[in-house]
Each structure stands twice: as structure tokens, then as C-alpha cells.
Amino acid sequence: MANTASARKRIRQNEKRVERNRARRSRVRTFLRAVEEAITGGDKSKAQEAFRLAQPELQRAADKGVTHDNTVARKLSRLSARIKAIGVAA
């Protein structure tokens, strides 16, 4: 157990940060799931719209340090390539 006031404050800060990061990570996953569902459904316009909405959320997670910058770049790149391939493969 924390004995000093600064240690108790640090525990409070960490709890808030963990909760905030958990919510942001969950939100990112929700947006990614929407894009995945649109891609598997084969609806290119719906997938593009979901991707357009997911992009800023992923960038925000990277900016806040929830995910790594390169992870976000990789995910966006791969999703974009899959969306572009929807019309070609069919």
C-alpha cells in the first residue's frame, strides 16, 4: 500500500489513465469491427464510409499513446488495400 501522498496520488492518476485507455482501445476496436464487417459484406461504399470514420479514432489512439504509431499506420494501410480490392476481386 502507498504510504506517501504522492504515491497515493500516482495510484489515483494511474487508475484514471487505465480507465481512459481501456475506453479508447474499446472504441478503436468497435470502429475496426465496423470496417471489417463492411469489407466482408462486400459493400465498397459502406466500407469506405466506415474507414473514413475509423481513421481519426485510430490516429487519436496513437497520439494519446494507447497504440503505437506504426501499428495504426499498418492497420490503416491494410484496411485501405482491402477496401480498394473489393471492386476488383468481384
Side-chain angles (χ1 to χ4, degrees), residues 27-47:
R27 192 169 159 81
V28 165
R29 286 192 195 118
T30 302
F31 277 93
L32 287 176
R33 195 175 305 116
V35 177
E36 289 287 342
E37 287 173 2
I39 290 172
T40 55
D43 188 355
K44 190 168 185 171
S45 62
K46 189 176 176 183

Side-chain angles (χ1 to χ4, degrees), residues 17-18 20-22 24-25 28 57-72:
R17 193 169 296 119
V18 164
R20 213 173 289 132
N21 287 344
R22 187 178 295 140
R24 193 173 306 280
R25 200 174 302 117
V28 165
E57 200 60 43
L58 279 153
Q59 282 301 143
R60 200 169 296 119
D63 292 343
K64 301 291 182 181
V66 177
T67 56
H68 198 276
D69 292 348
N70 290 350
T71 304
V72 170

